[in-house]
Amino acid sequence: MQQSFRQLEERNLSVEVTLMQWSPKMDLIALANENGEVLLQRLTWQRQPIWTLSPPSEDEGKEVRALAWRPDGKVLAVGYQSGRLLLCRVEKAEVIHTTHVDQPITCMQWSAALDKGLDSEANGQSSVKADLGAAGDAPDENSSEKFLPKLPSLSKISSIKSYIDDNVEDAKKLKEQKRLNMLAVGCNGGTLILLAFGVAPIVNVDMSQFIPTTKCGDFLGASLSSDLHTICVIVEYSNEEDVTEIYNSLLTLDCILLASRHQEISRYAKKFGKIRTLMEYLEATLKAVTEAKEDILIEMENKLTKYAQQKPTEESLSDEFLQLLLWGKASPELQQFLVHDLTEKGLKKLDQSVENSYVSIQKLVLKHIHSVGRSLLFQLSELKGMALWYDKYGMLGLNATAIQDAISAVGSFMLKANELLQVIESSLKNFKAFFRWLYVIVMQLMEEPIQQSISKMYQRDINFVADFLAENFTDEPSLDVTKSGFTLERVGQYLRKEDLQFPVSTAPNSWQDFVASSPSLRGSDLLFPWQRERSLSQLHDVVKDAVDHALSRPQSVGGESLSCRESFTLDKRSETDHPEYRTLSQQSLQDQSKLLTVFMTEPSPAQCIYMTRQHTKPDRSSQNETEMVCLTFGTLGRSDPDESIVSLAAESHLVLDAAFYGDHSLSLLLQEVKDEGSINNGKPVLCQLSLESLQAEVEFTPMSQVKGHLSSGQHISIDAGPLVTSRRMDNMRAGRLAVSGSRKVACVLFSNQRRVRLFDMDAEDEGEDEEDDEENQLEDSSMVVAEEGSGTDN
């Protein structure tokens, strides 16, 4: 039966396209090209893309291996050869989350969990809740908004990600996610990762434990059923005895933990996203603190060191300054040093620079570090409370001890931040007194007029200067010119990844004596340890390691909870064969508790295509095992008895590509075969195959009855040509297909991968397929890379 799918656009591309993925909610299509760029185009296909995401900065691994849309269409996942996984906010092309995996990413699929497909028996509930994110016995997800103030923006003081300025508390865009969704990521080497909301790793499992060898290759496909009971994966592997033969295996995994604890996983994932956002905010704040630190004091230390090494007298420099302070007398050498080396302008600049730097750091610590520290303690404390409820959250792998270690690390970091504030306050007080005193001395030596308000020195100011000299000028510089004997700059040591050179000295007090004498207080979780010798930067690394450790256990527990229900070998190829493009598409049928997979066992164009059908919630009945069918395509459509004109359609077709159009249809891209098996004169055909008709009229064969692997041909092929509706396409050599049932659109990529043709799949064609030759020759669409965080207005 012929179907007139209306052609919308046909456009050229300047770079070869490698991947295409339609948005499930908007008329947008994401394209990845061979340069490692990701482009977003509208259905109308303007000359300029909406935005272009530049490839990562790595020297290698820039190739985009997989694309996946979040079910709401607001976030796009991009997986690279290097193992980098980016989540991009579609509105502004902003990278809102980055995940690094150890192996190259080879496939991804983002699935939504539907409440009607999930049972609550394992939770002891009588009925399914309408909203996976709502439960009366769960901690309030918005409790932090009630008890904590909003984090201040960092955009004006640091060059950081712009998304933090929009809404820091929801930087991962999880607040609107009411239903759980999972991003399945397959990696080279057989590693499968499931990320709740694309952010929180829930499962990390090595597939080599489920196959007869440990030599796993690429993941070809991974799909999680909408009821979260079953994962269907296809993975390559080779035998240890003969590595030249590569096999493809279909595995069906049971994931009872995911299905029975979906509500807990949803809440944990949102808590994970908040904690990760706060950690990114803390790192950005420390970056801003480092940028605010001035190194001008080091220049003064070098000048003092040089003078101390070259002065003719053996008297220490601190004694000379003390005599100058007490008696107002200075040696000719010291006078020369003050007037010509330090100078009046140099002292004013030094005073202003140090004050600006220290005040900026002080504001960052008071306003930002304190705020994010409080929020981290709050979120980690709530996470610890969840971990202590073992029946619900503890069994996910949350460990209260590890979370408490992270809380203690954050507490120690906060104590060190308070210590830094004390050092800044003390340094500012002494520096201002010291620089003002030196400025007055220099002006007097230069016989310049001085304002009376500046020249007055009170006893308090003299004490400040004396304390400053005693603290920073006590040690004489060594003969090694690379080391300074002066310690003017004591703030910078807190921002280096090394122990403090001059830790704060504290005298014993009654509180420390009381804590030391009380064993219960010494081991209390309520008292944070003070790391006297460690720097602020070192303790930040400790916080990162502790938080990573606290959040790492759930993915291991989730991986251990998986079990292999079935395993079948699909086909094999020689290691020397080039791994050309082969179709693989998966779809979870929500209303039938089934998971369908279509794939090829030979490179495109293929003689046939295979479809497997798996039950997501099997019982002990033998009827629930995995089934398959091999589909070929002869004459398309059913013959019309009233048709008097003989059809000129081909009697057989090869399969170029296939993709699920949704729950009800399978889209196919076929190639006519004419002239004794030649495809040169045949046209490509765009087809729709009803899944309901297929399952009603075609008998599926249990995989257990298939002898050998599928590529051996020991099975019966079914001609599905009469079941399809089709449209022949003129003037093109087709290559691949991308469809969206929710948006009722299709995109056909030419075989040269540099031209596309778009179709409206739910409308009649209003005119002829082809335009004039001049109109068909369109200019190449330029691919201007937009700046990060901005889009191109169409």
Side-chain angles (χ1 to χ4, degrees), residues 115-148:
D115 50 0
K116 66 180 180 180
L118 296 169
D119 59 62
S120 304
E121 297 176 359
N123 284 339
Q125 300 170 355
S126 59
S127 62
V128 180
K129 295 185 183 291
D131 188 346
L132 296 184
D137 56 357
D140 187 357
E141 292 177 357
N142 298 324
S143 57
S144 60
E145 298 179 2
K146 299 178 181 178
F147 302 112
L148 296 173

Side-chain angles (χ1 to χ4, degrees), residues 217-356:
D218 285 349
F219 244 100
L220 304 182
S223 179
L224 178 65
S225 63
S226 59
D227 56 20
L228 302 183
H229 279 79
T230 300
I231 305 174
C232 175
V233 302
I234 298 180
V235 64
E236 289 184 345
Y237 72 92
S238 59
N239 293 324
E240 296 181 358
E241 295 79 8
D242 185 8
V243 297
T244 60
E245 297 291 336
I246 298 178
Y247 298 85
N248 289 342
S249 183
L250 174 70
L251 304 176
T252 306
L253 306 179
D254 289 326
C255 41
I256 304 300
L257 182 64
L258 299 185
S260 61
R261 290 291 179 266
H262 54 272
Q263 294 177 350
E264 290 79 5
I265 290 174
S266 178
R267 298 183 198 109
Y268 163 71
K270 291 185 177 182
K271 186 69 65 178
F272 180 98
K274 290 181 179 179
I275 293 174
R276 282 299 180 200
T277 298
L278 293 174
M279 291 299 297
E280 292 176 6
Y281 184 96
L282 178 59
E283 187 167 357
T285 303
L286 286 180
K287 179 183 177 183
V289 170
T290 303
E291 292 175 351
K293 185 181 74 69
E294 294 282 353
D295 293 330
I296 192 167
L297 283 174
I298 298 179
E299 300 178 10
M300 184 174 182
E301 287 184 11
N302 293 334
K303 291 181 179 180
L304 291 172
T305 301
K306 183 178 180 181
Y307 169 73
Q309 291 175 339
Q310 295 178 353
K311 64 185 182 66
T313 62
E314 297 182 357
E315 189 177 16
S316 66
L317 188 57
S318 59
D319 292 341
E320 290 191 46
F321 273 101
L322 282 174
Q323 291 181 12
L324 181 61
L325 175 64
L326 296 177
W327 312 113
K329 295 182 179 180
S331 63
E333 294 80 11
L334 181 58
Q335 295 181 25
Q336 182 77 9
F337 171 73
L338 294 176
V339 174
H340 297 285
D341 291 344
L342 294 184
T343 72
E344 168 256 345
K345 291 184 179 179
L347 287 172
K348 291 178 64 176
K349 178 183 177 182
L350 187 63
D351 185 19
Q352 184 177 7
S353 298
V354 172
E355 183 175 4
N356 291 339

Side-chain angles (χ1 to χ4, degrees), residues 509-524:
N509 54 53
S510 57
W511 169 251
Q512 291 179 341
D513 295 339
F514 175 67
V515 171
S517 63
S518 176
S520 59
L521 285 179
R522 286 202 304 268
S524 174

Side-chain angles (χ1 to χ4, degrees), residues 513-765:
D513 295 339
F514 175 67
V515 171
S517 63
S518 176
S520 59
L521 285 179
R522 286 202 304 268
S524 174
D525 293 337
L526 300 177
L527 299 181
F528 300 136
W530 177 45
Q531 307 289 345
R532 179 176 178 269
E533 306 290 336
R534 310 294 291 275
S535 68
L536 189 69
S537 182
Q538 284 179 315
L539 292 181
H540 174 243
D541 292 338
V542 173
V543 170
K544 289 195 298 183
D545 293 341
V547 171
D548 289 344
H549 178 67
L551 300 177
S552 63
R553 181 61 179 161
Q555 58 183 320
S556 300
V557 173
E560 294 169 358
S561 69
L562 299 184
S563 60
C564 185
R565 186 200 313 163
E566 294 177 301
S567 176
F568 303 100
T569 300
L570 301 180
D571 66 286
K572 71 173 182 178
R573 63 177 176 86
S574 173
E575 185 184 29
T576 58
D577 293 342
H578 189 274
E580 300 178 59
Y581 174 74
R582 305 184 186 192
T583 291
L584 194 150
S585 181
Q586 297 175 300
Q587 181 73 20
S588 177
L589 301 185
Q590 304 165 5
D591 54 348
Q592 302 180 28
S593 297
K594 294 178 181 177
L595 193 60
L596 300 182
T597 302
V598 295
F599 57 91
M600 295 178 180
T601 58
E602 57 182 329
S604 174
Q607 297 288 338
C608 62
I609 192 168
Y610 296 89
M611 177 181 291
T612 63
R613 183 173 62 188
Q614 298 162 293
H615 295 267
T616 59
K617 292 190 290 186
D619 52 30
R620 297 183 178 180
S621 173
S622 61
Q623 297 179 355
N624 290 325
E625 64 178 308
T626 300
E627 301 168 305
M628 60 78 62
V629 65
C630 176
L631 302 178
T632 59
F633 299 89
T635 302
L636 304 182
R638 303 183 188 274
S639 59
D640 187 351
D642 298 330
E643 187 176 358
S644 59
I645 302 176
V646 178
S647 174
L648 300 177
E651 296 182 355
S652 64
H653 296 78
L654 297 180
V655 183
L656 298 175
D657 201 0
F660 282 101
Y661 189 70
D663 290 353
H664 306 291
S665 300
L666 175 69
S667 298
L668 295 151
L669 188 61
L670 306 180
Q671 177 68 43
E672 295 178 342
V673 178
K674 293 185 176 181
D675 300 336
E676 298 181 355
S678 173
I679 64 174
N680 294 329
N681 298 327
K683 295 182 178 181
V685 185
L686 182 61
C687 304
Q688 292 287 81
L689 173 61
S690 170
L691 295 177
E692 182 179 358
S693 300
L694 178 67
Q695 297 187 82
E697 300 190 23
V698 174
E699 183 178 355
F700 282 68
T701 303
M703 291 288 290
S704 59
Q705 298 181 13
V706 179
K707 298 180 180 179
H709 50 80
L710 297 181
S711 58
S712 63
Q714 302 296 321
H715 49 77
I716 299 176
S717 300
I718 304 297
D719 184 7
L723 302 179
V724 305
T725 58
S726 61
R727 171 200 167 114
R728 302 175 75 201
M729 296 179 289
D730 297 326
N731 298 332
M732 76 175 300
R733 293 182 62 87
R736 297 189 193 178
L737 176 71
V739 295
S740 172
S742 59
R743 305 307 304 173
K744 298 180 174 54
V745 290
C747 180
V748 179
L749 180 67
F750 283 57
S751 58
N752 63 6
Q753 297 181 268
R754 297 185 64 173
R755 191 175 181 88
V756 293
R757 187 177 291 182
L758 281 74
F759 294 91
D760 184 346
M761 303 293 284
D762 195 34
E764 296 292 330
D765 204 343

Side-chain angles (χ1 to χ4, degrees), residues 776-794:
N776 272 334
Q777 300 300 323
L778 301 173
E779 297 180 3
D780 290 352
S781 60
S782 60
M783 299 201 173
V784 179
V785 179
E787 296 182 1
E788 183 178 359
S790 63
T792 303
D793 191 9
N794 290 322

